[in-house]
Amino acid sequence: MAARAGVSPATVSRFLRGQRVRSYEAIQAAIDELGYWPSAAAQSLKSGRTNTIGVVVPDITNPYFAAVVKGMESVTRTEPYRILLANSDESSEQEDDVLADLVRRVDGIILAPATEQDETPLHVRDADVPLVFVDRDLAGGERFDAVLVDNDGGGRQAAEHLLSLGHTRVAAISGTLDTTPGRLRREGFVGTLAKAGVEVPPEYDLVGDFKEHSGYQLTLSLLSLPEPPTAIFAANNLMTLGALKALHDMRIDIPGQISLIGFDDLDTGPLLRPPLTVVDRPMFEQGVLAMRLLLRRLDPGDGGGLASRVVLDTKLIERASTAPPGGHPSPARTRKTRSR
């Protein structure tokens, strides 16, 4: 191949390891002409790299994480890397096992930690494997690159929207509070209501597990109260779907009897009955940015330096599932979108 390209074998070797060479076009033409396909195992042994990036998410079935991984894949499509996807199932123990296996098989890892108290990511860093957080953070995780969203601000947007409609009996179905999204979305939501003089009583302040079943069951518990809320905020997409199903099963008019607002939009959000009001975020962009941060760390020319901490804004998408207490949304409100 080197002879066909008119370069030295060392130049071809550098090219196959992903390094820049002046005769790129000639080498690529020789590869195409000869039908050469280098052995991934041989390349790994020679370069010390696997050209594989591990991605660990808490729930592989959640459409949010599917969109984030799609963003990552859009970056690696033009890079010599492939993605190895793993699921921690919201379990620190399972995450430990997954990461212990990945550190021997990948060049870098993108992780959405199961909890903010995880210790395993610290060991990954000690193993000299570049690590980037996406969606979730660690307590004291400032040493790591991360791509997050303004969860506190998103909770605040949801509360401000319900307050603007006149709701004072408001319930929150939060995700697990030992995670960044669960804790900060609740703090932003409940704190904003409190500043406006609207307290969320304990029977309205419920904690789920980011799964659809918990959204369903907790909504049923709210409906069983002597005085149910007039509005519910569900802090992720799957719990919102669970809440919506419970309200439908109990023949509750939305938003005539209870308004419902969720966090994270769904492809089917505008098609649901009624179309859902949500706090949305740039999911695909989160994946793109996380992968770019990791590839920067994998660049031989990267000199280390301080961690990059990216926090993206959320936006409120107003549709027909929210209205004043006992009222109905105006046609304009079903289409209006506010960004922060």
Side-chain angles (χ1 to χ4, degrees), residues 150 152-154 156-157 160 279 312-316 338-340:
D150 185 4
D152 181 90
R156 184 167 62 250
Q157 281 180 297
E160 289 172 347
V279 175
L312 301 175
D313 285 338
T314 58
K315 66 178 180 180
L316 176 67
R338 281 205 307 260
S339 298
R340 63 179 311 278

Side-chain angles (χ1 to χ4, degrees), residues 72-213:
M72 297 176 191
E73 192 274 336
S74 74
V75 177
T76 58
R77 195 178 301 134
T78 58
E79 298 286 344
Y81 288 99
R82 63 184 183 275
I83 290 174
L84 181 59
L85 182 61
N87 181 49
S88 69
D89 200 27
E90 300 283 1
S91 164
S92 294
E93 292 75 17
Q94 186 161 322
E95 180 186 284
D96 289 348
D97 293 339
V98 168
L99 290 175
D101 177 58
L102 285 180
V103 293
R104 301 190 299 269
R105 303 170 59 190
V106 301
D107 297 328
I109 295 173
I110 298 177
L111 169 68
T115 77
E116 288 187 313
Q117 287 72 46
D118 282 356
E119 293 293 330
T120 303
L122 303 177
H123 303 317
V124 172
R125 184 66 175 268
D126 292 341
D128 200 30
V129 176
L131 179 65
V132 173
F133 294 149
V134 67
D135 180 51
R136 304 181 180 190
D137 204 359
L138 287 189
E142 293 80 6
R143 292 175 290 166
F144 296 89
D145 293 326
V147 182
L148 311 170
V149 297
D150 185 4
N151 288 293
D152 181 90
R156 184 167 62 250
Q157 281 180 297
E160 289 172 347
H161 175 61
L162 296 179
L163 288 170
S164 73
L165 295 174
H167 289 278
T168 56
R169 298 204 324 263
V170 181
I173 298 176
S174 301
T176 47
L177 300 183
D178 59 358
T179 66
T180 308
R183 178 176 60 84
L184 291 181
R185 290 173 197 171
R186 178 189 174 277
E187 289 178 1
F189 185 75
V190 174
T192 299
L193 291 173
K195 289 179 182 176
V198 176
E199 296 297 327
V200 179
E203 62 270 24
Y204 284 4
D205 189 6
L206 307 180
V207 179
D209 61 4
F210 288 123
K211 302 290 181 68
E212 183 176 335
H213 181 71

Side-chain angles (χ1 to χ4, degrees), residues 13-330:
S13 179
R14 289 198 301 275
F15 173 83
L16 293 176
R17 290 199 300 269
Q19 298 178 12
R20 292 191 180 95
V21 295
R22 291 184 178 180
S23 306
Y24 167 88
E25 293 181 355
I27 298 172
Q28 187 62 57
I31 288 175
D32 294 341
E33 185 177 344
L34 296 173
Y36 174 76
W37 191 259
S39 162
Q43 284 185 294
S44 176
L45 288 171
K46 202 166 188 178
S47 67
R49 289 202 168 188
T50 66
N51 287 341
T52 303
I53 291 170
V55 176
V56 185
V57 299
D59 185 358
I60 205 169
T61 66
N62 189 321
Y64 160 73
F65 288 111
V68 171
V69 173
K70 187 175 181 180
M72 297 176 191
E73 192 274 336
S74 74
V75 177
T76 58
R77 195 178 301 134
T78 58
E79 298 286 344
Y81 288 99
R82 63 184 183 275
I83 290 174
L84 181 59
L85 182 61
N87 181 49
S88 69
D89 200 27
E90 300 283 1
S91 164
S92 294
E93 292 75 17
Q94 186 161 322
E95 180 186 284
D96 289 348
D97 293 339
V98 168
L99 290 175
D101 177 58
L102 285 180
V103 293
R104 301 190 299 269
R105 303 170 59 190
V106 301
D107 297 328
I109 295 173
I110 298 177
L111 169 68
T115 77
E116 288 187 313
Q117 287 72 46
D118 282 356
E119 293 293 330
T120 303
L122 303 177
H123 303 317
V124 172
R125 184 66 175 268
D126 292 341
D128 200 30
V129 176
L131 179 65
V132 173
F133 294 149
V134 67
D135 180 51
R136 304 181 180 190
D137 204 359
L138 287 189
E142 293 80 6
R143 292 175 290 166
F144 296 89
D145 293 326
V147 182
L148 311 170
V149 297
D150 185 4
N151 288 293
D152 181 90
R156 184 167 62 250
Q157 281 180 297
E160 289 172 347
H161 175 61
L162 296 179
L163 288 170
S164 73
L165 295 174
H167 289 278
T168 56
R169 298 204 324 263
V170 181
I173 298 176
S174 301
T176 47
L177 300 183
D178 59 358
T179 66
T180 308
R183 178 176 60 84
L184 291 181
R185 290 173 197 171
R186 178 189 174 277
E187 289 178 1
F189 185 75
V190 174
T192 299
L193 291 173
K195 289 179 182 176
V198 176
E199 296 297 327
V200 179
E203 62 270 24
Y204 284 4
D205 189 6
L206 307 180
V207 179
D209 61 4
F210 288 123
K211 302 290 181 68
E212 183 176 335
H213 181 71
S214 72
Y216 184 88
Q217 293 296 328
L218 294 177
T219 299
L220 290 182
S221 71
L222 290 170
L223 297 178
S224 70
L225 295 172
E227 190 174 42
T230 62
I232 298 172
F233 169 53
N236 91 323
N237 49 9
L238 296 182
M239 291 193 301
T240 304
L241 289 177
L244 183 65
K245 185 176 187 300
L247 293 170
H248 282 323
D249 285 353
M250 298 303 292
R251 304 291 193 271
I252 301 297
D253 178 47
I254 311 168
Q257 292 173 271
I258 294 180
S259 287
L260 176 64
I261 181 171
F263 200 106
D264 283 339
D265 201 10
L266 293 158
D267 289 340
T268 56
L271 306 177
L272 294 173
R273 182 170 54 87
L276 282 175
T277 295
V278 295
V279 175
D280 195 25
R281 53 178 164 164
M283 298 175 260
F284 184 89
E285 185 180 358
Q286 274 189 274
V288 169
L289 293 175
M291 183 59 71
R292 286 178 177 167
L293 284 179
L294 184 59
L295 292 181
R296 187 193 69 181
R297 292 295 182 189
L298 292 173
D299 187 332
D302 177 53
L306 296 176
S308 295
R309 312 282 291 178
V310 181
V311 180
L312 301 175
D313 285 338
T314 58
K315 66 178 180 180
L316 176 67
I317 301 177
E318 298 180 43
R319 298 193 182 108
S321 66
T322 53
H328 297 277
S330 67

